[in-house]
Amino acid sequence: MRTCKSIHEYKVHDDFIADMNYCESKSSLLVAGGDGLLSIYDTRKPTDKIKITTDLDDELLSMTVIDNGNKVIAGSQSGALYSWEWNGWEDSRRKWLGHPSSVDAMCKLDDQVICTGGNDGLLRMITVLPQYGFDGVLGDHGEDFPIECIKMDHQQHYLASCGHDLQLKFWNIEFLFQKDITSKRRNQDDDDDDVASHRHKRAHVQQTGFFDNITTTKMTGKDDSFATPRFTKHTMNKFDPEDTLLDGILANNKKWAEEVMKEDPTFLKNIAQKQQPKILWIGCSDSRVPANVVTSLPPGEVFVHRNIANVVTHSDLNCLSVLQYAVEVLKVEHIIICGHYNCGGVTAALGHNQFGLIDNWLRNIKDVYRLYADELESIDDDEKRLYRLIELNAINSAKNVCHSTIVQNAWKQGQKLTVHAWAFDIETGVAKRLEWMAKDGNRMESIYITTKEE
């Protein structure tokens, strides 16, 4: 047997290729890359330009095509699922959250439902259409054994999965395609009370092939963009000043824990074993800007450091300790320095009144003003000048993160790490990227570049 030569090649990805899927109805090959890009190759038009999606700050690891070839779903390193409508590659993609770890494998069960294989060893059944929701755990390889591949037979009787436990496992899933159950799942009433009463009946398939009272349900919520709406369900509660023993707070906590357990019985157990956040958030201590609420991410997703006015300075051992642990131990891939408009700390720094000990901390922000005085003093509107100082303060802190030996050494060792500067608008609830971001040390002034002697 002779070795064949490739008849055609193309390269549009800057990182590893993680998964491929052929969409027969579109005669197209889709490729998911570790660079956060999805590329689409039309086999009918080999000379046409390859289509690619907009860049993501994430690694795409798995993918499948559903809805008669009209929707593409991709799993990622962060645990998020992304979706695109066919030919909407440059449009804003949808992002669904909920997986506590990376989604390494994926398989279509039907045109509305998929199965995901996680780094935590769990096979999860996910309804994508008409509304996103977690339906249950179909199988478990064990929390220390990531799943690498999932396939379903053409008769829709069995699901096969393999992972790091060195085993190929088969799961009997015939019950999922029985007419009465499938119809019930797709036409289920969205009433919250009805969902709550049935949510405990999760589809949990055992390897033996026996099933007890299986009922699959779909999640509800005002915003179906996220898999875990219940994580933020109680964030609109008000604190009662008369609750001196904080009984109400403990009651809220208990209610939250119960809701999380109903949504995903394995979630808290999984994150209790270890944390694997991919994001370090350095933000302001302001009570209106909690990191997990702003990012709409569940516990375990964001490592957090907060101080007055999100200042990063080279002499703050508290902040530097957090930075070192996040970069060197947790191996985070993103550091977000997020300022916010209506920041009291920056407002105080822009004035000349004394407030006490904090004045010494605010000197750092006054230094930012001095560095950008020409730009700031050219702004006549006081509010716009304040808002610009808030943005420049976040950018300056992001630069100081890059100046640290911690981040410089990580980059020199080839560690994947991106530093972002953001600003959050409390009035609209929307965060935005500022005009500064760094993936390596190329943007640093040479005076800050240091070398570690061997």
Side-chain angles (χ1 to χ4, degrees):
M1 180 177 178
R2 67 177 184 180
T3 302
C4 297
K5 294 183 178 180
S6 63
I7 59 172
H8 187 62
E9 298 178 2
Y10 79 97
K11 182 181 184 301
V12 297
H13 293 273
D14 294 327
D15 210 331
F16 63 92
I17 302 296
D19 198 7
M20 297 190 299
N21 197 295
Y22 184 72
C23 181
E24 191 169 349
S25 64
K26 308 291 185 181
S27 298
S28 296
L29 179 69
L30 297 99
V31 177
D35 53 0
L37 291 177
L38 190 70
S39 60
I40 305 91
Y41 178 75
D42 190 336
T43 58
R44 298 165 298 185
K45 305 172 183 177
T47 59
D48 281 12
K49 183 179 180 182
I50 309 281
K51 297 177 181 178
I52 58 173
T53 58
T54 52
D55 190 13
L56 297 173
D57 283 336
D58 209 343
E59 295 179 3
L60 298 182
L61 303 179
S62 56
M63 60 176 300
T64 191
V65 183
I66 63 170
D67 192 24
N68 295 316
N70 293 315
K71 186 181 288 290
V72 179
I73 310 294
S76 68
Q77 178 66 35
S78 70
L81 296 182
Y82 297 92
S83 77
W84 294 265
E85 300 296 330
W86 196 272
N87 285 332
W89 312 120
E90 296 181 1
D91 298 338
S92 298
R93 75 282 167 192
R94 299 194 69 185
K95 179 179 180 180
W96 295 310
L97 308 174
H99 289 77
S101 57
S102 61
V103 181
D104 299 338
M106 188 178 296
C107 175
K108 180 179 86 169
L109 298 182
D110 64 20
D111 265 343
Q112 295 183 326
V113 182
I114 64 173
C115 176
T116 62
N119 185 262
D120 56 4
L122 292 180
L123 292 166
R124 290 177 172 85
M125 179 171 158
I126 307 291
T127 295
V128 178
L129 295 172
Q131 184 177 6
Y132 181 87
F134 166 70
D135 286 331
V137 175
L138 291 174
D140 187 358
H141 276 254
E143 63 180 334
D144 293 325
F145 301 111
I147 296 170
E148 290 295 337
C149 188
I150 314 169
K151 297 294 180 182
M152 183 177 67
D153 72 312
H154 291 297
Q155 286 74 38
Q156 298 180 320
H157 292 168
Y158 298 100
L159 196 69
S161 60
C162 59
H164 290 207
D165 55 353
L166 308 182
Q167 297 185 51
L168 173 63
K169 295 190 177 184
F170 292 88
W171 317 87
N172 189 327
I173 57 171
E174 288 182 87
F175 78 97
L176 293 175
F177 300 95
Q178 294 173 4
K179 273 190 176 180
D180 55 339
I181 294 179
T182 305
S183 176
K184 178 185 290 185
R185 172 168 53 78
R186 290 182 177 171
N187 297 293
Q188 183 183 8
D189 189 351
D190 284 343
D191 182 77
D192 280 345
D193 293 334
D194 181 61
V195 172
S197 67
H198 292 286
R199 189 166 280 143
H200 69 283
K201 299 177 183 177
R202 291 299 187 189
H204 193 147
V205 184
Q206 302 297 330
Q207 241 181 302
T208 57
F210 296 96
F211 312 101
D212 299 320
N213 300 320
I214 300 297
T215 301
T216 56
T217 63
K218 64 184 178 182
M219 311 292 280
T220 62
K222 294 181 180 179
D223 185 356
D224 63 353
S225 297
F226 303 99
T228 53
R230 299 290 179 179
F231 283 122
T232 56
K233 178 180 178 181
H234 305 295
T235 56
M236 300 308 290
N237 291 335
K238 295 290 186 180
F239 173 66
D240 181 5
E242 301 298 322
D243 183 14
T244 56
L245 295 179
L246 305 183
D247 292 332
I249 300 295
L250 292 174
N252 288 341
N253 167 253
K254 185 176 180 181
K255 188 175 182 180
W256 170 83
E258 291 171 350
E259 290 290 342
V260 172
M261 292 296 289
K262 287 179 182 178
E263 292 248 350
D264 185 348
T266 66
F267 177 79
L268 294 175
K269 179 181 178 181
N270 287 337
I271 67 170
Q273 303 304 315
K274 58 182 177 180
Q275 61 170 326
Q276 294 179 307
K278 296 299 180 184
I279 298 171
L280 167 61
W281 174 281
I282 300 178
C284 182
S285 299
D286 194 302
S287 62
R288 301 166 295 177
V289 197
N292 286 76
V293 174
V294 171
T295 58
S296 193
L297 289 174
E301 294 295 312
V302 188
F303 198 59
V304 178
H305 176 77
R306 297 170 71 183
N307 60 42
I308 299 296
N310 46 274
V311 170
V312 176
T313 179
H314 306 304
S315 58
D316 183 1
L317 297 182
N318 188 341
C319 182
L320 291 176
S321 297
V322 171
L323 180 62
Q324 181 181 20
Y325 187 80
V327 173
E328 296 182 3
V329 180
L330 297 177
K331 304 293 184 183
V332 299
E333 297 180 1
H334 299 276
I335 301 174
I336 300 171
I337 294 81
C338 187
H340 68 94
Y341 303 119
N342 298 80
C343 179
V346 178
T347 302
L350 195 53
H352 300 282
N353 294 330
Q354 287 192 10
F355 298 95
L357 178 65
I358 194 174
D359 296 327
N360 300 283
W361 180 257
L362 298 179
R363 291 288 186 274
N364 294 292
I365 305 173
K366 289 182 179 291
D367 287 341
V368 175
Y369 186 97
R370 175 176 53 80
L371 291 171
Y372 296 94
D374 290 342
E375 176 185 350
L376 292 167
E377 291 174 1
S378 68
I379 302 174
D380 295 328
D381 185 276
D382 291 342
E383 184 178 65
K384 290 181 179 178
R385 187 187 308 114
L386 171 62
Y387 279 17
R388 184 54 180 161
L389 179 57
I390 287 167
E391 294 173 350
L392 292 171
N393 180 55
I395 291 172
N396 188 72
S397 287
K399 289 181 178 180
N400 284 342
V401 167
C402 298
H403 296 163
S404 71
T405 55
I406 299 163
V407 170
Q408 288 192 51
N409 290 339
W411 279 333
K412 290 172 184 175
Q413 293 165 10
Q415 187 169 333
K416 183 179 180 181
L417 185 62
T418 305
V419 181
H420 310 258
W422 286 10
F424 176 69
D425 189 334
I426 297 174
E427 291 186 17
T428 65
V430 176
K432 72 174 185 179
R433 294 188 186 95
L434 299 178
E435 68 274 17
W436 193 94
M437 182 178 71
K439 294 184 177 181
D440 51 44
N442 293 336
R443 298 191 64 175
M444 284 196 302
E445 296 91 338
S446 60
I447 188 63
Y448 292 108
I449 299 174
T450 58
T451 302
K452 184 177 181 180
E453 292 187 4
E454 300 297 334

